[in-house]
Coordinates of all heavy atoms in Angstrom, one line a residue:
Q1 N -18.0 -14.0 11.2 CA -17.7 -13.6 9.8 C -18.6 -14.4 8.8 O -19.1 -13.8 7.9 CB -16.3 -13.7 9.5 CG -15.4 -12.7 10.2 CD -13.9 -13.0 9.9 OE1 -13.4 -14.1 9.9 NE2 -13.1 -11.9 9.8
L2 N -18.7 -15.7 9.1 CA -19.5 -16.5 8.2 C -21.0 -16.1 8.2 O -21.6 -16.0 7.2 CB -19.4 -18.0 8.6 CG -18.1 -18.7 8.1 CD1 -17.9 -20.0 8.8 CD2 -18.2 -18.9 6.6
T3 N -21.5 -15.9 9.4 CA -22.9 -15.5 9.5 C -23.2 -14.1 9.1 O -24.4 -13.7 9.0 CB -23.5 -15.7 10.9 OG1 -22.6 -15.0 11.9 CG2 -23.5 -17.2 11.3
S4 N -22.2 -13.3 8.8 CA -22.4 -12.0 8.2 C -22.7 -12.1 6.7 O -23.1 -11.1 6.1 CB -21.2 -11.1 8.4 OG -20.1 -11.5 7.6
L5 N -22.4 -13.3 6.1 CA -22.7 -13.5 4.7 C -24.2 -13.7 4.4 O -24.8 -14.5 5.2 CB -21.9 -14.7 4.2 CG -20.4 -14.5 4.2 CD1 -19.7 -15.8 3.9 CD2 -19.9 -13.4 3.2
P6 N -24.8 -13.2 3.4 CA -26.2 -13.4 3.1 C -26.5 -15.0 3.0 O -25.8 -15.7 2.3 CB -26.3 -12.7 1.7 CG -25.3 -11.7 1.7 CD -24.1 -12.3 2.4
G7 N -27.6 -15.3 3.6 CA -28.0 -16.7 3.5 C -27.3 -17.7 4.4 O -27.6 -18.9 4.3
V8 N -26.3 -17.3 5.1 CA -25.5 -18.2 6.0 C -26.0 -18.1 7.4 O -25.7 -17.1 8.1 CB -24.0 -17.9 5.9 CG1 -23.2 -18.9 6.8 CG2 -23.6 -18.0 4.4
G9 N -26.6 -19.1 7.9 CA -27.1 -19.1 9.3 C -26.1 -19.9 10.2 O -25.0 -20.3 9.7
R10 N -26.4 -20.0 11.5 CA -25.5 -20.6 12.4 C -25.2 -22.0 12.1 O -24.0 -22.5 12.2 CB -26.0 -20.5 13.8 CG -25.1 -20.9 14.9 CD -25.6 -20.6 16.3 NE -24.6 -21.0 17.3 CZ -23.7 -20.1 17.8 NH1 -23.7 -18.9 17.4 NH2 -22.9 -20.5 18.7
K11 N -26.2 -22.8 11.7 CA -26.0 -24.2 11.4 C -25.0 -24.4 10.2 O -24.1 -25.1 10.3 CB -27.3 -24.9 11.0 CG -27.2 -26.4 10.8 CD -28.4 -26.9 10.1 CE -28.5 -26.6 8.7 NZ -29.6 -27.3 7.9
T12 N -25.3 -23.6 9.1 CA -24.4 -23.7 8.0 C -23.0 -23.3 8.3 O -22.0 -24.0 8.0 CB -24.9 -22.8 6.9 OG1 -26.2 -23.3 6.4 CG2 -23.9 -22.7 5.7
A13 N -22.8 -22.2 9.1 CA -21.5 -21.8 9.5 C -20.8 -22.8 10.4 O -19.6 -23.1 10.1 CB -21.6 -20.5 10.3
N14 N -21.5 -23.5 11.3 CA -20.9 -24.5 12.1 C -20.4 -25.7 11.3 O -19.4 -26.3 11.5 CB -21.8 -25.0 13.2 CG -21.8 -24.0 14.4 OD1 -20.8 -23.4 14.6 ND2 -22.9 -24.0 15.1
V15 N -21.2 -26.1 10.2 CA -20.8 -27.2 9.4 C -19.5 -26.8 8.7 O -18.5 -27.6 8.6 CB -21.9 -27.5 8.3 CG1 -21.3 -28.4 7.2 CG2 -23.1 -28.1 8.9
V16 N -19.4 -25.6 8.1 CA -18.1 -25.2 7.4 C -17.0 -25.2 8.4 O -15.9 -25.7 8.0 CB -18.4 -23.8 6.8 CG1 -17.1 -23.3 6.2 CG2 -19.4 -23.9 5.7
L17 N -17.2 -24.6 9.6 CA -16.1 -24.5 10.5 C -15.6 -25.9 10.9 O -14.4 -26.1 11.1 CB -16.5 -23.7 11.8 CG -16.8 -22.2 11.5 CD1 -17.4 -21.6 12.8 CD2 -15.5 -21.5 11.1
S18 N -16.5 -26.8 11.1 CA -16.2 -28.2 11.6 C -15.5 -29.0 10.5 O -14.4 -29.5 10.7 CB -17.5 -28.9 12.0 OG -17.2 -30.2 12.3
V19 N -16.1 -29.0 9.3 CA -15.6 -29.9 8.2 C -14.4 -29.3 7.5 O -13.5 -30.0 7.2 CB -16.8 -30.2 7.2 CG1 -16.3 -31.0 6.1 CG2 -17.9 -30.9 7.9
A20 N -14.5 -28.0 7.1 CA -13.4 -27.4 6.4 C -12.2 -27.0 7.2 O -11.1 -27.1 6.7 CB -14.0 -26.2 5.6
F21 N -12.5 -26.6 8.5 CA -11.4 -26.1 9.3 C -11.2 -26.8 10.6 O -10.4 -26.4 11.4 CB -11.7 -24.6 9.6 CG -11.9 -23.8 8.3 CD1 -13.1 -23.1 8.1 CD2 -10.9 -23.7 7.4 CE1 -13.3 -22.4 6.9 CE2 -11.1 -22.9 6.3 CZ -12.3 -22.3 6.0
Q22 N -11.9 -28.0 10.7 CA -11.6 -28.9 11.9 C -11.8 -28.2 13.3 O -11.0 -28.5 14.2 CB -10.3 -29.6 11.8 CG -10.1 -30.5 10.7 CD -9.9 -29.8 9.3 OE1 -9.1 -29.0 9.2 NE2 -10.8 -30.2 8.3
Q23 N -12.7 -27.3 13.3 CA -13.0 -26.6 14.6 C -14.0 -27.4 15.4 O -14.9 -28.0 14.8 CB -13.4 -25.1 14.3 CG -12.4 -24.2 13.7 CD -12.8 -22.8 13.7 OE1 -13.7 -22.3 14.4 NE2 -12.3 -22.1 12.7
P24 N -14.0 -27.4 16.7 CA -15.0 -28.1 17.5 C -16.3 -27.4 17.6 O -16.7 -27.0 18.7 CB -14.3 -28.2 18.9 CG -13.5 -26.9 19.0 CD -13.0 -26.7 17.5
T25 N -17.0 -27.4 16.5 CA -18.3 -26.7 16.4 C -19.4 -27.8 16.3 O -19.1 -28.9 15.7 CB -18.4 -25.7 15.3 OG1 -18.2 -26.3 14.1 CG2 -17.4 -24.6 15.6
M26 N -20.6 -27.5 16.7 CA -21.7 -28.5 16.6 C -22.9 -27.9 15.8 O -23.6 -27.0 16.4 CB -22.2 -28.8 18.0 CG -23.4 -29.7 18.1 SD -23.2 -31.3 17.3 CE -22.0 -32.1 18.3
A27 N -23.0 -28.3 14.6 CA -24.2 -27.9 13.8 C -25.4 -28.7 14.2 O -25.3 -29.9 14.2 CB -23.9 -28.1 12.3
V28 N -26.5 -28.0 14.5 CA -27.7 -28.7 15.0 C -28.8 -28.5 13.9 O -29.3 -27.5 13.7 CB -28.2 -28.1 16.3 CG1 -29.5 -28.8 16.7 CG2 -27.1 -28.3 17.4
D29 N -29.0 -29.6 13.2 CA -30.1 -29.6 12.2 C -31.3 -30.4 12.8 O -31.2 -30.7 14.1 CB -29.6 -30.3 10.9 CG -29.2 -31.8 11.1 OD1 -29.3 -32.3 12.2 OD2 -28.9 -32.4 10.1
T30 N -32.3 -30.7 12.1 CA -33.4 -31.4 12.6 C -33.1 -32.8 13.2 O -33.6 -33.2 14.2 CB -34.5 -31.6 11.5 OG1 -34.0 -32.2 10.4 CG2 -35.0 -30.2 11.1
H31 N -32.1 -33.5 12.5 CA -31.7 -34.8 13.0 C -31.0 -34.7 14.3 O -31.4 -35.5 15.3 CB -30.8 -35.5 12.0 CG -31.4 -35.8 10.7 ND1 -32.6 -36.5 10.5 CD2 -31.1 -35.4 9.4 CE1 -32.9 -36.6 9.2 NE2 -32.0 -35.9 8.5
V32 N -30.1 -33.8 14.5 CA -29.3 -33.7 15.7 C -30.3 -33.2 16.8 O -30.2 -33.7 18.0 CB -28.1 -32.7 15.5 CG1 -27.5 -32.4 16.9 CG2 -27.1 -33.2 14.5
F33 N -31.1 -32.3 16.5 CA -32.1 -31.8 17.5 C -33.0 -33.0 18.0 O -33.1 -33.1 19.2 CB -33.0 -30.7 16.9 CG -33.8 -30.0 17.9 CD1 -33.4 -28.9 18.5 CD2 -35.1 -30.4 18.1 CE1 -34.2 -28.2 19.4 CE2 -35.9 -29.7 19.0 CZ -35.5 -28.6 19.7
R34 N -33.5 -33.8 17.1 CA -34.4 -34.9 17.5 C -33.7 -35.9 18.3 O -34.2 -36.4 19.3 CB -35.0 -35.5 16.2 CG -36.0 -36.6 16.5 CD -36.5 -37.2 15.2 NE -35.5 -37.8 14.3 CZ -35.0 -37.3 13.2 NH1 -35.5 -36.1 12.8 NH2 -34.2 -37.9 12.4
V35 N -32.6 -36.4 17.8 CA -31.9 -37.5 18.4 C -31.4 -37.1 19.8 O -31.4 -37.9 20.7 CB -30.7 -38.0 17.5 CG1 -29.9 -39.1 18.3 CG2 -31.3 -38.6 16.2

């Protein structure tokens, strides 16, 4: 449902699910990818 919204990709959706709703999701940005 989140990624059905305009401008919302998987990374953004995972951040919202994790931080706002405490779901075990992993947002992968450039830092997470590199490390």
Side-chain angles (χ1 to χ4, degrees):
Q1 291 175 321
L2 278 168
T3 54
S4 73
L5 296 169
V8 180
R10 189 176 183 88
K11 184 195 76 173
T12 294
N14 278 334
V15 169
V16 173
L17 292 174
S18 173
V19 176
F21 303 118
Q22 292 76 53
Q23 294 186 25
T25 60
M26 175 60 68
V28 178
D29 65 356
T30 56
H31 297 302
V32 175
F33 189 89
R34 178 180 68 254
V35 174

